[in-house]
CSV table of all heavy atoms in Angstrom, one decimal:
chain,number,residue,atom,x,y,z
D,96,ARG,N,-23.9,-14.5,14.1
D,96,ARG,CA,-25.0,-14.4,15.1
D,96,ARG,C,-24.6,-13.4,16.2
D,96,ARG,O,-25.4,-12.7,16.7
D,96,ARG,CB,-25.2,-15.8,15.7
D,96,ARG,CG,-26.0,-16.7,14.8
D,96,ARG,CD,-26.7,-17.8,15.7
D,96,ARG,NE,-25.9,-18.4,16.8
D,96,ARG,CZ,-26.4,-19.1,17.7
D,96,ARG,NH1,-27.7,-19.3,17.8
D,96,ARG,NH2,-25.6,-19.6,18.6
D,97,GLN,N,-23.3,-13.4,16.6
D,97,GLN,CA,-22.9,-12.5,17.6
D,97,GLN,C,-23.0,-11.0,17.2
D,97,GLN,O,-23.5,-10.2,17.9
D,97,GLN,CB,-21.4,-12.8,18.0
D,97,GLN,CG,-21.2,-14.1,18.7
D,97,GLN,CD,-19.8,-14.5,18.8
D,97,GLN,OE1,-18.9,-14.1,18.1
D,97,GLN,NE2,-19.4,-15.3,19.8
D,98,ILE,N,-22.6,-10.8,15.9
D,98,ILE,CA,-22.7,-9.4,15.4
D,98,ILE,C,-24.2,-9.0,15.3
D,98,ILE,O,-24.5,-7.9,15.7
D,98,ILE,CB,-22.1,-9.4,14.0
D,98,ILE,CG1,-20.5,-9.5,14.1
D,98,ILE,CG2,-22.5,-8.1,13.2
D,98,ILE,CD1,-19.8,-9.7,12.8
D,99,ALA,N,-25.0,-9.8,14.8
D,99,ALA,CA,-26.4,-9.5,14.7
D,99,ALA,C,-27.0,-9.2,16.1
D,99,ALA,O,-27.8,-8.2,16.3
D,99,ALA,CB,-27.2,-10.6,14.0
D,100,THR,N,-26.7,-10.0,17.1
D,100,THR,CA,-27.3,-9.9,18.4
D,100,THR,C,-26.8,-8.5,19.0
D,100,THR,O,-27.6,-7.8,19.6
D,100,THR,CB,-26.8,-11.0,19.3
D,100,THR,OG1,-27.3,-12.3,18.7
D,100,THR,CG2,-27.4,-10.9,20.7
D,101,ILE,N,-25.5,-8.3,19.0
D,101,ILE,CA,-24.9,-7.0,19.5
D,101,ILE,C,-25.5,-5.8,18.8
D,101,ILE,O,-25.8,-4.8,19.4
D,101,ILE,CB,-23.4,-7.1,19.6
D,101,ILE,CG1,-22.9,-8.2,20.5
D,101,ILE,CG2,-22.8,-5.7,20.0
D,101,ILE,CD1,-21.4,-8.5,20.4
D,102,ASP,N,-25.6,-5.9,17.5
D,102,ASP,CA,-26.2,-4.8,16.7
D,102,ASP,C,-27.6,-4.4,17.2
D,102,ASP,O,-27.9,-3.3,17.4
D,102,ASP,CB,-26.2,-5.1,15.3
D,102,ASP,CG,-26.9,-4.1,14.4
D,102,ASP,OD1,-26.2,-3.1,14.1
D,102,ASP,OD2,-28.1,-4.2,14.1
D,103,ARG,N,-28.4,-5.4,17.5
D,103,ARG,CA,-29.7,-5.2,18.1
D,103,ARG,C,-29.7,-4.6,19.5
D,103,ARG,O,-30.5,-3.7,19.8
D,103,ARG,CB,-30.6,-6.4,18.0
D,103,ARG,CG,-31.0,-6.8,16.6
D,103,ARG,CD,-31.9,-8.0,16.6
D,103,ARG,NE,-32.4,-8.1,15.2
D,103,ARG,CZ,-33.6,-7.6,14.8
D,103,ARG,NH1,-34.4,-7.0,15.7
D,103,ARG,NH2,-34.0,-7.8,13.6
D,104,MET,N,-28.8,-5.1,20.3
D,104,MET,CA,-28.6,-4.5,21.6
D,104,MET,C,-28.2,-3.1,21.6
D,104,MET,O,-28.5,-2.3,22.5
D,104,MET,CB,-27.5,-5.3,22.4
D,104,MET,CG,-27.9,-6.8,22.7
D,104,MET,SD,-26.5,-7.8,23.2
D,104,MET,CE,-26.2,-7.1,24.8
D,105,LEU,N,-27.5,-2.7,20.5
D,105,LEU,CA,-27.0,-1.3,20.3
D,105,LEU,C,-27.9,-0.4,19.6
D,105,LEU,O,-27.6,0.8,19.3
D,105,LEU,CB,-25.6,-1.4,19.7
D,105,LEU,CG,-24.7,-0.2,19.6
D,105,LEU,CD1,-24.3,0.3,20.9
D,105,LEU,CD2,-23.5,-0.4,18.7
D,106,GLY,N,-29.0,-0.9,19.1
D,106,GLY,CA,-29.9,-0.1,18.4
D,106,GLY,C,-29.5,0.1,16.9
D,106,GLY,O,-29.9,1.1,16.3
D,107,GLY,N,-28.8,-0.9,16.4
D,107,GLY,CA,-28.4,-0.9,15.0
D,107,GLY,C,-27.2,-0.1,14.6
D,107,GLY,O,-27.0,0.3,13.5
D,108,ARG,N,-26.3,0.2,15.6
D,108,ARG,CA,-25.2,1.0,15.4
D,108,ARG,C,-23.8,0.3,15.5
D,108,ARG,O,-22.8,0.9,15.7
D,108,ARG,CB,-25.1,2.2,16.4
D,108,ARG,CG,-26.4,3.1,16.4
D,108,ARG,CD,-26.2,4.3,17.2
D,108,ARG,NE,-25.9,4.0,18.6
D,108,ARG,CZ,-26.7,3.6,19.6
D,108,ARG,NH1,-28.0,3.5,19.3
D,108,ARG,NH2,-26.2,3.4,20.8
D,109,LEU,N,-23.9,-1.0,15.2
D,109,LEU,CA,-22.6,-1.8,15.2
D,109,LEU,C,-21.9,-1.7,13.9
D,109,LEU,O,-22.5,-1.9,12.8
D,109,LEU,CB,-22.9,-3.2,15.6
D,109,LEU,CG,-21.6,-4.1,15.8
D,109,LEU,CD1,-20.8,-3.6,17.1
D,109,LEU,CD2,-22.0,-5.5,16.0
D,110,LYS,N,-20.6,-1.6,13.9
D,110,LYS,CA,-19.7,-1.7,12.8
D,110,LYS,C,-18.6,-2.7,13.1
D,110,LYS,O,-18.4,-2.9,14.3
D,110,LYS,CB,-19.1,-0.4,12.4
D,110,LYS,CG,-20.1,0.7,12.0
D,110,LYS,CD,-19.6,2.1,12.2
D,110,LYS,CE,-20.7,3.2,11.9
D,110,LYS,NZ,-20.8,3.4,10.5
D,111,VAL,N,-17.9,-3.3,12.2
D,111,VAL,CA,-17.0,-4.4,12.4
D,111,VAL,C,-15.7,-4.1,11.8
D,111,VAL,O,-15.6,-3.8,10.6
D,111,VAL,CB,-17.6,-5.7,11.9
D,111,VAL,CG1,-16.6,-6.8,12.1
D,111,VAL,CG2,-18.9,-6.1,12.6
D,112,ASN,N,-14.6,-4.2,12.6
D,112,ASN,CA,-13.2,-4.0,12.1
D,112,ASN,C,-12.7,-5.4,11.9
D,112,ASN,O,-12.4,-6.1,12.9
D,112,ASN,CB,-12.4,-3.2,13.1
D,112,ASN,CG,-11.0,-3.0,12.7
D,112,ASN,OD1,-10.1,-2.7,13.6
D,112,ASN,ND2,-10.6,-3.2,11.5
D,113,ILE,N,-12.4,-5.8,10.7
D,113,ILE,CA,-11.9,-7.1,10.4
D,113,ILE,C,-10.4,-7.2,10.5
D,113,ILE,O,-9.7,-6.3,9.9
D,113,ILE,CB,-12.3,-7.6,8.9
D,113,ILE,CG1,-13.8,-7.6,8.8
D,113,ILE,CG2,-11.7,-8.9,8.5
D,113,ILE,CD1,-14.5,-8.8,9.4
D,114,ILE,N,-9.9,-8.1,11.3
D,114,ILE,CA,-8.4,-8.2,11.5
D,114,ILE,C,-8.1,-9.6,10.9
D,114,ILE,O,-8.6,-10.6,11.3
D,114,ILE,CB,-8.0,-8.1,12.9
D,114,ILE,CG1,-8.4,-6.8,13.5
D,114,ILE,CG2,-6.5,-8.4,13.1
D,114,ILE,CD1,-8.2,-6.6,15.0
D,115,SER,N,-7.1,-9.6,10.0
D,115,SER,CA,-6.7,-10.9,9.3
D,115,SER,C,-5.7,-11.6,10.2
D,115,SER,O,-4.6,-11.8,9.9
D,115,SER,CB,-6.0,-10.5,8.0
D,115,SER,OG,-5.8,-11.7,7.3
D,116,SER,N,-6.3,-12.2,11.3
D,116,SER,CA,-5.4,-12.8,12.3
D,116,SER,C,-5.2,-14.3,12.0
D,116,SER,O,-6.0,-14.9,11.3
D,116,SER,CB,-6.0,-12.7,13.7
D,116,SER,OG,-7.1,-13.4,13.8
D,117,GLU,N,-4.2,-14.9,12.7
D,117,GLU,CA,-4.0,-16.3,12.7
D,117,GLU,C,-4.8,-16.9,13.9
D,117,GLU,O,-5.3,-16.1,14.8
D,117,GLU,CB,-2.5,-16.7,12.8
D,117,GLU,CG,-1.7,-16.2,11.6
D,117,GLU,CD,-0.2,-16.3,11.9
D,117,GLU,OE1,0.2,-16.0,13.0
D,117,GLU,OE2,0.5,-16.5,10.9
D,118,MET,N,-4.9,-18.2,13.9
D,118,MET,CA,-5.4,-18.8,15.2
D,118,MET,C,-4.3,-18.7,16.2
D,118,MET,O,-3.1,-18.8,15.8
D,118,MET,CB,-5.7,-20.3,14.9
D,118,MET,CG,-7.0,-20.6,14.1
D,118,MET,SD,-8.5,-20.4,15.1
D,118,MET,CE,-8.4,-21.9,16.1
D,119,PRO,N,-4.6,-18.6,17.5
D,119,PRO,CA,-3.6,-18.7,18.5
D,119,PRO,C,-2.7,-19.9,18.4
D,119,PRO,O,-3.3,-21.0,18.3
D,119,PRO,CB,-4.4,-18.6,19.8
D,119,PRO,CG,-5.6,-17.9,19.4
D,119,PRO,CD,-5.9,-18.4,18.1
D,120,GLY,N,-1.4,-19.8,18.3
D,120,GLY,CA,-0.6,-20.9,18.1
D,120,GLY,C,-0.3,-21.3,16.6
D,120,GLY,O,0.5,-22.2,16.4
D,121,GLU,N,-1.0,-20.7,15.7
D,121,GLU,CA,-1.0,-21.1,14.3
D,121,GLU,C,0.0,-20.1,13.6
D,121,GLU,O,0.1,-18.9,13.9
D,121,GLU,CB,-2.4,-20.9,13.7
D,121,GLU,CG,-2.4,-21.0,12.1
D,121,GLU,CD,-3.8,-20.6,11.6
D,121,GLU,OE1,-4.1,-19.4,11.6
D,121,GLU,OE2,-4.5,-21.5,11.1
D,122,THR,N,0.7,-20.6,12.6
D,122,THR,CA,1.5,-19.7,11.7
D,122,THR,C,1.0,-20.0,10.3
D,122,THR,O,1.1,-21.1,9.7
D,122,THR,CB,3.0,-20.1,11.8
D,122,THR,OG1,3.4,-19.9,13.1
D,122,THR,CG2,3.8,-19.1,10.8
D,123,LEU,N,0.5,-18.9,9.7
D,123,LEU,CA,-0.1,-19.0,8.3
D,123,LEU,C,0.5,-17.9,7.5
D,123,LEU,O,0.6,-16.8,7.9
D,123,LEU,CB,-1.6,-18.9,8.4
D,123,LEU,CG,-2.4,-19.3,7.2
D,123,LEU,CD1,-2.3,-20.8,6.9
D,123,LEU,CD2,-3.9,-19.0,7.4
D,124,GLY,N,0.9,-18.2,6.3
D,124,GLY,CA,1.5,-17.3,5.4
D,124,GLY,C,0.6,-16.2,5.0
D,124,GLY,O,-0.6,-16.3,5.1
D,125,SER,N,1.1,-15.1,4.5
D,125,SER,CA,0.3,-13.9,4.2
D,125,SER,C,-0.8,-14.2,3.2
D,125,SER,O,-1.9,-13.9,3.4
D,125,SER,CB,1.2,-12.8,3.6
D,125,SER,OG,0.4,-11.7,3.2
D,126,ALA,N,-0.4,-14.9,2.1
D,126,ALA,CA,-1.4,-15.1,1.0
D,126,ALA,C,-2.6,-16.0,1.5
D,126,ALA,O,-3.8,-15.5,1.3
D,126,ALA,CB,-0.8,-15.7,-0.2
D,127,PRO,N,-2.4,-17.1,2.1
D,127,PRO,CA,-3.5,-17.9,2.6
D,127,PRO,C,-4.3,-17.2,3.7
D,127,PRO,O,-5.5,-17.3,3.8
D,127,PRO,CB,-2.9,-19.2,3.1
D,127,PRO,CG,-1.5,-18.9,3.2
D,127,PRO,CD,-1.1,-17.9,2.3
D,128,ARG,N,-3.6,-16.5,4.6
D,128,ARG,CA,-4.3,-15.7,5.7
D,128,ARG,C,-5.2,-14.7,5.1
D,128,ARG,O,-6.4,-14.6,5.6
D,128,ARG,CB,-3.2,-15.1,6.6
D,128,ARG,CG,-3.8,-14.4,7.8
D,128,ARG,CD,-2.8,-14.2,8.9
D,128,ARG,NE,-1.5,-13.6,8.4
D,128,ARG,CZ,-1.3,-12.3,8.1
D,128,ARG,NH1,-2.3,-11.5,8.3
D,128,ARG,NH2,-0.2,-11.9,7.7
D,129,TYR,N,-4.8,-13.9,4.1
D,129,TYR,CA,-5.7,-12.9,3.6
D,129,TYR,C,-6.8,-13.6,2.7
D,129,TYR,O,-7.9,-13.0,2.6
D,129,TYR,CB,-4.9,-11.9,2.8
D,129,TYR,CG,-4.3,-10.9,3.8
D,129,TYR,CD1,-2.9,-10.9,4.0
D,129,TYR,CD2,-5.1,-9.9,4.5
D,129,TYR,CE1,-2.4,-10.0,4.9
D,129,TYR,CE2,-4.5,-9.0,5.3
D,129,TYR,CZ,-3.2,-9.0,5.6
D,129,TYR,OH,-2.6,-8.2,6.4
D,130,ALA,N,-6.5,-14.7,2.1
D,130,ALA,CA,-7.5,-15.4,1.3
D,130,ALA,C,-8.6,-15.9,2.2
D,130,ALA,O,-9.8,-15.8,1.9
D,130,ALA,CB,-6.9,-16.6,0.6
D,131,ARG,N,-8.2,-16.4,3.4
D,131,ARG,CA,-9.2,-16.8,4.4
D,131,ARG,C,-10.0,-15.6,4.9
D,131,ARG,O,-11.3,-15.7,5.1
D,131,ARG,CB,-8.5,-17.4,5.6
D,131,ARG,CG,-9.5,-17.9,6.7
D,131,ARG,CD,-8.8,-18.7,7.7
D,131,ARG,NE,-7.8,-18.0,8.5
D,131,ARG,CZ,-6.9,-18.5,9.4
D,131,ARG,NH1,-7.0,-19.8,9.7
D,131,ARG,NH2,-6.1,-17.8,10.1
D,132,THR,N,-9.4,-14.4,5.0
D,132,THR,CA,-10.1,-13.2,5.4
D,132,THR,C,-11.2,-12.8,4.3
D,132,THR,O,-12.3,-12.4,4.7
D,132,THR,CB,-9.1,-12.0,5.6
D,132,THR,OG1,-8.2,-12.4,6.6
D,132,THR,CG2,-9.9,-10.8,6.0
D,133,VAL,N,-10.8,-12.9,3.1
D,133,VAL,CA,-11.8,-12.6,2.0
D,133,VAL,C,-13.0,-13.5,2.1
D,133,VAL,O,-14.2,-13.1,2.0
D,133,VAL,CB,-11.1,-12.7,0.6
D,133,VAL,CG1,-12.2,-12.5,-0.5
D,133,VAL,CG2,-10.1,-11.6,0.5
D,134,GLU,N,-12.7,-14.8,2.3
D,134,GLU,CA,-13.8,-15.7,2.5
D,134,GLU,C,-14.7,-15.4,3.7
D,134,GLU,O,-15.9,-15.4,3.6
D,134,GLU,CB,-13.3,-17.2,2.7
D,134,GLU,CG,-12.7,-17.8,1.4
D,134,GLU,CD,-12.5,-19.3,1.6
D,134,GLU,OE1,-13.2,-20.0,2.4
D,134,GLU,OE2,-11.6,-19.9,1.0
D,135,ALA,N,-14.1,-15.0,4.8
D,135,ALA,CA,-14.8,-14.7,6.0
D,135,ALA,C,-15.7,-13.5,5.8
D,135,ALA,O,-16.9,-13.4,6.2
D,135,ALA,CB,-13.8,-14.4,7.2
D,136,MET,N,-15.2,-12.4,5.1
D,136,MET,CA,-16.0,-11.2,4.8
D,136,MET,C,-17.2,-11.6,3.9
D,136,MET,O,-18.3,-11.1,4.1
D,136,MET,CB,-15.1,-10.2,4.2
D,136,MET,CG,-14.1,-9.5,5.2
D,136,MET,SD,-13.3,-8.0,4.6
D,136,MET,CE,-12.1,-8.7,3.4
D,137,HIS,N,-17.0,-12.4,3.0
D,137,HIS,CA,-18.1,-12.9,2.1
D,137,HIS,C,-19.1,-13.6,2.9
D,137,HIS,O,-20.3,-13.4,2.7
D,137,HIS,CB,-17.5,-13.7,1.0
D,137,HIS,CG,-18.6,-14.4,0.2
D,137,HIS,ND1,-19.5,-13.8,-0.7
D,137,HIS,CD2,-19.0,-15.7,0.1
D,137,HIS,CE1,-20.3,-14.6,-1.2
D,137,HIS,NE2,-20.1,-15.8,-0.7
D,138,ILE,N,-18.7,-14.5,3.7
D,138,ILE,CA,-19.7,-15.3,4.5
D,138,ILE,C,-20.5,-14.4,5.5
D,138,ILE,O,-21.7,-14.5,5.5
D,138,ILE,CB,-19.0,-16.4,5.3
D,138,ILE,CG1,-18.3,-17.5,4.4
D,138,ILE,CG2,-19.9,-17.1,6.3
D,138,ILE,CD1,-17.4,-18.4,5.1
D,139,LEU,N,-19.7,-13.5,6.2
D,139,LEU,CA,-20.4,-12.6,7.1
D,139,LEU,C,-21.4,-11.7,6.3
D,139,LEU,O,-22.6,-11.5,6.8
D,139,LEU,CB,-19.4,-11.7,7.8
D,139,LEU,CG,-18.5,-12.4,8.8
D,139,LEU,CD1,-17.5,-11.5,9.4
D,139,LEU,CD2,-19.4,-12.9,10.0
D,140,ARG,N,-21.0,-11.1,5.2
D,140,ARG,CA,-21.9,-10.2,4.5
D,140,ARG,C,-23.1,-10.9,4.0
D,140,ARG,O,-24.2,-10.4,4.1
D,140,ARG,CB,-21.1,-9.6,3.3
D,140,ARG,CG,-21.8,-8.4,2.7
D,140,ARG,CD,-21.1,-7.8,1.5
D,140,ARG,NE,-19.8,-7.4,1.8
D,140,ARG,CZ,-19.4,-6.2,2.3
D,140,ARG,NH1,-20.4,-5.4,2.7
D,140,ARG,NH2,-18.1,-5.9,2.5
D,141,THR,N,-22.9,-12.1,3.5
D,141,THR,CA,-24.1,-12.9,3.0
D,141,THR,C,-25.1,-13.2,4.0
D,141,THR,O,-26.3,-12.9,3.9
D,141,THR,CB,-23.6,-14.2,2.3
D,141,THR,OG1,-22.7,-13.9,1.3
D,141,THR,CG2,-24.8,-15.0,1.7
D,142,LEU,N,-24.6,-13.8,5.1
D,142,LEU,CA,-25.5,-14.1,6.2
D,142,LEU,C,-26.2,-12.9,6.9
D,142,LEU,O,-27.4,-12.9,7.2
D,142,LEU,CB,-24.8,-15.0,7.3
D,142,LEU,CG,-24.3,-16.3,6.8
D,142,LEU,CD1,-23.5,-17.0,7.9
D,142,LEU,CD2,-25.5,-17.2,6.5
D,143,LEU,N,-25.4,-11.9,7.1
D,143,LEU,CA,-25.9,-10.6,7.7
D,143,LEU,C,-26.8,-9.8,6.8
D,143,LEU,O,-27.6,-9.0,7.3
D,143,LEU,CB,-24.8,-9.8,8.3
D,143,LEU,CG,-24.1,-10.5,9.5
D,143,LEU,CD1,-22.8,-9.8,9.9
D,143,LEU,CD2,-25.0,-10.5,10.7
D,144,ASN,N,-26.7,-10.1,5.5
D,144,ASN,CA,-27.7,-9.5,4.5
D,144,ASN,C,-29.0,-10.3,4.5
D,144,ASN,O,-29.9,-10.0,3.7
D,144,ASN,CB,-27.1,-9.4,3.2
D,144,ASN,CG,-26.2,-8.2,3.0
D,144,ASN,OD1,-26.4,-7.2,3.7
D,144,ASN,ND2,-25.3,-8.2,2.0
D,145,GLY,N,-29.1,-11.4,5.3
D,145,GLY,CA,-30.3,-12.2,5.4
D,145,GLY,C,-30.4,-13.2,4.2
D,145,GLY,O,-31.5,-13.6,3.9
D,146,GLU,N,-29.3,-13.5,3.6
D,146,GLU,CA,-29.3,-14.3,2.4
D,146,GLU,C,-28.9,-15.7,2.7
D,146,GLU,O,-28.0,-15.9,3.6
D,146,GLU,CB,-28.4,-13.8,1.3
D,146,GLU,CG,-28.8,-12.4,0.9
D,146,GLU,CD,-27.7,-11.7,0.0
D,146,GLU,OE1,-26.7,-12.3,-0.2
D,146,GLU,OE2,-27.9,-10.5,-0.4
D,147,PRO,N,-29.4,-16.8,2.1
D,147,PRO,CA,-28.9,-18.1,2.3
D,147,PRO,C,-27.4,-18.2,1.8
D,147,PRO,O,-27.1,-17.5,0.8
D,147,PRO,CB,-29.8,-19.0,1.5
D,147,PRO,CG,-30.5,-18.1,0.5
D,147,PRO,CD,-30.5,-16.7,1.2
D,148,LEU,N,-26.6,-19.1,2.4
D,148,LEU,CA,-25.2,-19.2,2.0
D,148,LEU,C,-24.9,-20.5,1.4
D,148,LEU,O,-25.3,-21.5,1.9
D,148,LEU,CB,-24.4,-19.0,3.3
D,148,LEU,CG,-22.8,-19.2,3.1
D,148,LEU,CD1,-22.3,-18.0,2.3
D,148,LEU,CD2,-22.1,-19.3,4.4
D,149,ASP,N,-24.3,-20.5,0.3
D,149,ASP,CA,-23.7,-21.7,-0.4
D,149,ASP,C,-22.3,-21.4,-0.7
D,149,ASP,O,-22.0,-20.8,-1.8
D,149,ASP,CB,-24.5,-22.2,-1.6
D,149,ASP,CG,-24.1,-23.5,-2.1
D,149,ASP,OD1,-23.0,-24.1,-1.6
D,149,ASP,OD2,-24.7,-24.0,-3.0
D,150,HIS,N,-21.4,-21.6,0.2
D,150,HIS,CA,-20.0,-21.2,0.0
D,150,HIS,C,-19.1,-22.5,0.0
D,150,HIS,O,-19.0,-23.2,1.0
D,150,HIS,CB,-19.6,-20.3,1.2
D,150,HIS,CG,-18.1,-19.9,1.2
D,150,HIS,ND1,-17.7,-18.9,0.4
D,150,HIS,CD2,-17.1,-20.4,1.8
D,150,HIS,CE1,-16.4,-18.7,0.5
D,150,HIS,NE2,-16.0,-19.6,1.4
D,151,GLN,N,-18.4,-22.6,-1.1
D,151,GLN,CA,-17.5,-23.8,-1.2
D,151,GLN,C,-16.1,-23.2,-1.5
D,151,GLN,O,-15.6,-23.1,-2.6
D,151,GLN,CB,-17.9,-24.6,-2.4
D,151,GLN,CG,-19.3,-25.2,-2.3
D,151,GLN,CD,-19.6,-26.0,-1.1
D,151,GLN,OE1,-18.8,-26.8,-0.7
D,151,GLN,NE2,-20.7,-25.7,-0.4
D,152,GLY,N,-15.5,-22.8,-0.4
D,152,GLY,CA,-14.2,-22.1,-0.4
D,152,GLY,C,-13.0,-23.0,-0.1
D,152,GLY,O,-13.2,-24.2,0.2
D,153,GLU,N,-11.9,-22.5,0.0
D,153,GLU,CA,-10.7,-23.2,0.4
D,153,GLU,C,-10.7,-23.5,1.9
D,153,GLU,O,-10.2,-24.6,2.3
D,153,GLU,CB,-9.4,-22.4,0.0
D,153,GLU,CG,-8.1,-23.1,0.4
D,153,GLU,CD,-6.9,-22.3,0.0
D,153,GLU,OE1,-7.0,-21.2,-0.6
D,153,GLU,OE2,-5.8,-22.7,0.4
Side-chain angles (χ1 to χ4, degrees):
R96 283 207 316 167
Q97 292 170 335
I98 289 169
T100 302
I101 296 171
D102 178 78
R103 286 181 171 268
M104 295 167 69
L105 190 62
R108 302 188 306 278
L109 185 68
K110 299 155 183 281
V111 179
N112 179 199
I113 299 287
I114 299 174
S115 186
S116 71
E117 297 170 323
M118 285 284 284
E121 170 191 71
T122 301
L123 194 62
S125 174
R128 181 162 48 81
Y129 281 107
R131 179 170 66 185
T132 300
V133 172
E134 285 193 29
M136 287 192 285
H137 168 70
I138 293 167
L139 289 175
R140 194 183 301 279
T141 301
L142 292 175
L143 290 167
N144 278 338
E146 300 165 359
L148 176 73
D149 188 353
H150 177 80
Q151 303 302 314
E153 179 183 355

